[in-house]
Amino acid sequence: MLVKKISDNHENISALTKCTNKNIGTHKLLENNEFTIWQIHLEPGEELPPHLHDKPYFWTVLTDGYARALYDDGSVIEVEYKKGDTKYFPDLTSKKKFIHSLINQGQSPLVFVTVEFHSVR
């Protein structure tokens, strides 16, 4: 995975900071008391709208691709994904959280599986 920060101040900051959307994927695959499994499937140019991450989670990308993410702190990040890349966010809470959107900048579908944990043991 190659990550490149391209800006510290995008124009959509105020909309992102007010976001309460907790749908962190395009399709909910399974939900129980312990976790929710989401799929993210973005066609070229498609955007996963701004959403809130306030629970521990991880994602694994199932396809190679490129994306741009806009964050509530104003940063803009471009990422080159390789199939199998995985990232874990173990420390998120209602006090330590972030909001972002994700736009497929590539020429083919970008697909992730994301697992969000409801409680920490």
Side-chain angles (χ1 to χ4, degrees):
M1 177 173 44
L2 178 63
V3 178
K4 179 181 173 187
K5 187 172 187 176
I6 62 170
S7 175
D8 285 322
N9 191 15
H10 63 79
E11 65 278 357
N12 295 327
I13 268 182
S14 62
L16 282 176
T17 58
K18 297 173 185 171
C19 174
T20 59
N21 177 19
K22 292 191 176 192
N23 292 330
I24 66 169
T26 53
H27 303 90
K28 191 182 291 187
L29 302 176
L30 175 70
E31 183 171 27
N32 63 31
N33 291 335
E34 296 180 20
F35 57 82
T36 303
I37 301 174
W38 294 88
Q39 180 186 54
I40 300 169
H41 184 111
L42 299 174
E43 292 295 325
E46 189 176 6
E47 178 179 9
L48 180 63
H51 54 279
L52 171 66
H53 289 283
D54 62 356
K55 297 175 185 167
Y57 79 101
F58 73 87
W59 55 256
T60 299
V61 66
L62 304 179
T63 58
D64 293 345
Y66 300 91
R68 176 177 287 182
L70 307 178
Y71 288 86
D72 59 330
D73 68 357
S75 62
V76 179
I77 307 293
E78 288 187 346
V79 182
E80 178 181 354
Y81 295 101
K82 297 294 181 192
K83 181 179 178 179
D85 286 346
T86 299
K87 189 163 183 181
Y88 180 42
F89 299 84
D91 301 325
L92 297 178
T93 68
S94 62
K95 294 187 191 302
K96 183 179 177 186
K97 58 190 174 188
F98 68 92
I99 299 165
H100 74 121
S101 63
L102 187 68
I103 305 161
N104 182 355
Q105 300 285 94
Q107 300 299 311
S108 59
L110 187 58
V111 182
F112 295 81
V113 169
T114 301
V115 178
E116 179 182 50
F117 301 97
H118 295 251
S119 61
V120 179
R121 293 181 186 209

